Amino acid sequence: MSLNATIAEVTERIVERSAPLRRPYLDRMAAAAETGPARAHLTCGNQAHAYAGVVPDQEALAKGRAPNIGIVTAYNDMLSAHQPFERFPQLIRDTARAQGATAQVAGGVPAMCDGVTQGQPGMELSLFSRDVIALAAGVALSHNCFDAALYLGVCDKIVPGLIIAAATFGHIPALFLPAGPMPSGLPNDEKAKVRQLFATGEVGRDRLMEAEMASYHSPGTCTFYGTANSNQMLMEFMGLHLPGSSFVNPNTPLRDALTVAGVERALEITALGNDYRPASQVLDEKAFVNGIVGLMATGGSTNLVLHLPAMARAAGVVLELEDFDAISSVTPLMAKVYPNGLADVNHFHAAGGLGYLIGELLEGGLLHPDTTTVAGDGLAAYAQEPKLTGDRVHWEPGPRESLNDKIVRPAADPFQKTGGLKQLKGNLGHGIMKVSAVAPERHVIEAPARIFHDQEAVKAAFKAGEFTSDTIVVVRFQGPRANGMPELHSLTPTLSVLQDRGLKVALLTDGRMSGASGKVPAAIHVSPEAAVGGPLARLREGDIVRVDAMAGTIEAVGVDLSTREPAVADLSGNAHGIGRELFEAFRAHAGPADTGAANVV
């Protein structure tokens, strides 16, 4: 089928808009590639330092005739998703040696867990950790000893930060190796019920802890469809994973075989081989459009609306919120994975998963089929699924019918005709809402505003019984310049309780919500933020606010905000404690949310 007209139009708009950045970027990458394998230009002393730590590979490295892979790893065992990476470097080195090549851990990058810092001061460092990860990966690759890079990262800010680095070093190939999701534990909806019961005081902390530990119970990515798993989806749709590799469980024979295959493929696509595929060629406008289509078709995380513009800019591509909105308008919502449904990512994978979705979207003309990927030319390979023969992986055609239509549906008969995200505009600024999990009757909320300057104040008002009528809960001074734009996911149980009591409620904020947030309408990422005098700073308690996901608007009704002075908050408490002192420069120079809230791009 021919490419959907809207997808084609949006792509052309992005190409035209990006040209002033993209052309110089590609020229820089071509110039870097022309110098040839980097090690050939290092002095003998430079090289001796680089090879001293890898005695078994010193001779091969010194000769410089075979590829050397740089491993950039986000391993730590604070994150269940990244714990499996502990084994990967040795497996990668062994595989490279078997092919007559070499591999070195070029460096590590920090990787914090938003699940640990949720609702805590450390969450104020979370978004900026993306930029730190990009910088750290840049330091690792600056040794200029590598013919390709393997990136080991999964979770929220880690993959976006690594992509920014991969684009910056776009003259060498980049291949991402996932670790896979943990096996299914306590169902996510049961966990959410316990959280709500705890919020109302109906169960104690012992019951809450029991539920949480039964849900998050082993190495691997958390099984809900939040930002971490949305990242894994994105890497397949953009052609940076091997096909079908995202949701294979850790420490299994298939997982190890995919890692081996990834190393072998990375060696094949260096400039020393016959199939050179630098990251700059993979990360083009079509790849980013395909990634946005995947985000909409799966009901993915709102955090990627922040990350994708930053990732794209590193590759000379300029994305705007209008692009997300237009793509959402023609992309069917084909998956129901928690919090958008009851299934987890293991169930989704078993029902057909990404291979089924990509095949359907290609057939429907909703994806660019002619992209460059690490697996080869064209996206059709990503409609296949990996299988084991002995200890080797091969690919077979994926399912062409859903294996569970309560989880995955065809493009012609989707859960919704449009995607999971909606752009919002109005006299209160520019933001987004994830609508895929919000009931249609809650897409429009008009009510008086309650104004708060932090999430703890909302919880205190709830405990005091102050919410007794329909309310727009405004939490402002939560943007990147104010306090680093923390997620406000810990408000979800509180707002869910109010909604379950029959109240019409919505959240309006210049902060973020977790990729796991769902059924409460939340207008988020509102820009300009309150800390720079944005419209939210001019709202007053009791103003009537309308949040309308149908019309795509956020409005203060019957109010001329321009006649008011913006409120000023005391933000001094955001400057100290749990490392916040170190990020003053990041807060001072962060870009607006609608362009990615970034410092380094």
Side-chain angles (χ1 to χ4, degrees):
M1 181 178 288
S2 60
L3 188 66
N4 176 277
T6 297
I7 299 297
E9 179 183 338
V10 171
T11 305
E12 183 56 39
R13 189 169 68 212
I14 294 171
V15 169
E16 184 176 346
R17 182 195 306 138
S18 303
L21 290 179
R22 180 73 177 168
R23 291 192 191 107
Y25 167 79
L26 290 175
D27 289 343
R28 292 195 303 273
M29 296 303 108
E34 284 174 8
T35 63
R39 295 189 312 288
H41 304 285
L42 299 180
T43 70
C44 294
N46 294 149
Q47 292 187 63
H49 279 285
Y51 311 152
V54 284
V55 174
D57 296 319
Q58 285 177 351
E59 183 178 356
L61 285 164
K63 290 179 179 177
R65 295 173 188 151
N68 185 36
I69 292 175
I71 305 166
V72 180
T73 178
Y75 163 73
N76 65 47
D77 55 17
M78 173 62 74
L79 281 76
S80 62
H82 289 172
Q83 190 281 332
F85 287 138
E86 184 174 23
R87 298 176 53 241
F88 277 41
Q90 191 59 52
L91 183 56
I92 293 167
R93 284 190 287 262
D94 290 345
T95 303
R97 287 171 186 152
Q99 300 295 314
T102 54
Q104 296 175 277
V105 174
V109 302
M112 64 184 293
C113 180
D114 288 0
V116 176
T117 57
Q118 200 67 250
Q120 306 298 320
M123 176 54 78
E124 295 179 16
L125 280 57
S126 174
L127 179 58
F128 293 147
S129 75
R130 178 192 65 193
D131 294 44
V132 175
I133 289 159
L135 293 168
V139 170
L141 295 172
S142 68
H143 295 101
N144 207 19
C145 294
F146 309 110
D147 301 287
L150 289 176
Y151 294 92
L152 312 184
V154 173
C155 288
D156 300 51
K157 315 314 162 300
I158 294 94
V159 166
L162 293 175
I163 287 287
I164 291 171
T168 305
F169 288 79
H171 61 289
I172 62 173
L175 199 149
F176 281 65
L177 296 178
M182 68 178 67
S184 302
L186 180 74
N188 288 294
D189 59 321
E190 292 185 29
K191 174 194 66 181
K193 289 175 185 175
V194 176
R195 286 180 174 178
Q196 287 185 229
L197 291 172
F198 179 76
T200 58
E202 295 175 64
V203 301
R205 187 169 294 277
D206 57 344
R207 177 71 184 93
L208 178 64
M209 177 61 81
E210 180 185 344
E212 298 288 355
M213 293 294 288
S215 180
Y216 309 117
H217 61 93
S218 74
T221 315
C222 304
T223 60
F224 58 81
Y225 194 54
T227 311
N229 286 316
S230 296
N231 284 340
Q232 303 313 292
M233 171 279 301
L234 193 70
M235 293 302 91
E236 290 213 28
F237 272 80
M238 292 182 66
L240 288 158
H241 275 177
L242 291 184
S245 62
S246 294
F247 299 132
V248 175
N249 298 126
N251 303 316
T252 60
L254 180 55
R255 174 85 279 154
D256 285 354
L258 283 163
T259 300
V260 168
V263 179
E264 293 173 344
R265 184 58 182 159
L267 294 171
E268 292 171 352
I269 62 176
T270 73
L272 297 174
N274 297 319
D275 193 16
Y276 178 46
R277 294 176 181 271
S280 56
Q281 291 181 11
V282 176
L283 292 167
D284 67 2
E285 297 92 342
K286 291 180 179 179
F288 282 102
V289 168
N290 283 352
I292 297 173
V293 171
L295 182 67
M296 301 307 168
T298 59
S301 169
T302 56
N303 280 324
L304 287 180
V305 184
L306 273 176
H307 298 321
L308 275 162
M311 294 156 61
R313 188 168 289 272
V317 175
V318 181
L319 300 179
E320 295 183 354
L321 291 186
E322 286 79 6
D323 304 324
F324 291 83
D325 195 62
I327 291 171
S328 180
S329 73
V330 296
T331 304
L333 178 64
M334 299 167 60
K336 283 282 190 180
V337 190
Y338 190 86
N340 305 334
L342 297 180
D344 68 21
V345 293
N346 293 309
H347 305 139
F348 166 72
H349 186 62
L354 296 178
Y356 172 74
L357 259 66
I358 290 171
E360 279 286 303
L361 290 164
L362 282 169
E363 191 172 312
L366 291 162
L367 289 171
H368 289 282
D370 54 345
T371 53
T372 298
T373 80
V374 297
D377 293 333
L379 199 62
Y382 289 80
Q384 300 180 96
E385 60 183 3
K387 299 288 185 180
L388 271 181
T389 301
D391 62 354
R392 302 290 298 178
V393 67
H394 67 278
W395 278 265
E396 298 178 354
R400 299 309 325 132
E401 293 183 1
S402 171
L403 303 179
N404 186 332
D405 64 7
K406 293 184 173 66
I407 301 173
V408 180
R409 297 187 66 85
D413 184 23
F415 293 104
Q416 294 174 196
K417 292 184 178 179
T418 58
L421 293 174
K422 185 73 176 179
Q423 177 184 217
L424 304 172
K425 277 186 172 183
N427 64 6
L428 289 174
H430 198 185
I432 61 166
M433 181 187 291
K434 181 177 179 177
V435 297
S436 52
V438 177
E441 63 270 20
R442 296 182 179 129
H443 284 189
V444 180
I445 306 289
E446 183 174 311
R450 285 290 311 273
I451 309 292
F452 301 92
H453 289 181
D454 62 68
Q455 54 189 319
E456 293 307 314
V458 179
K459 296 175 189 175
F462 172 77
K463 290 178 181 177
E466 295 179 14
F467 295 107
T468 58
S469 59
D470 297 348
T471 308
I472 304 291
V473 177
V474 179
V475 188
R476 62 191 182 188
F477 296 101
Q478 302 298 307
R481 292 286 188 98
N483 62 353
M485 205 179 186
E487 289 183 350
L488 306 178
H489 180 56
S490 67
L491 291 179
T492 299
T494 298
L495 299 176
S496 296
V497 168
L498 295 177
Q499 188 167 263
D500 290 347
R501 289 175 179 172
L503 301 182
K504 293 182 178 179
V505 294
L507 176 68
L508 176 64
T509 181
D510 48 10
R512 296 187 291 132
M513 286 295 277
S514 166
S517 302
K519 66 180 183 178
V520 176
I524 60 177
H525 305 181
V526 175
S527 183
E529 63 176 288
V532 297
L536 287 186
R538 301 173 188 270
L539 267 182
R540 299 293 182 263
E541 192 90 4
D543 284 345
I544 302 300
V545 171
R546 183 178 177 87
V547 176
D548 188 339
M550 302 292 289
T553 58
I554 42 174
E555 294 277 347
V557 179
V559 176
D560 184 357
L561 296 174
S562 67
T563 63
R564 295 177 175 174
E565 289 296 314
V568 178
D570 179 6
L571 302 177
S572 59
N574 301 335
H576 304 284
I578 318 297
R580 287 178 286 190
E581 299 91 335
L582 302 173
F583 286 79
E584 180 178 355
F586 283 74
R587 290 189 294 271
H589 298 288
D594 55 1
T595 62
N599 275 268
V600 298
V601 289

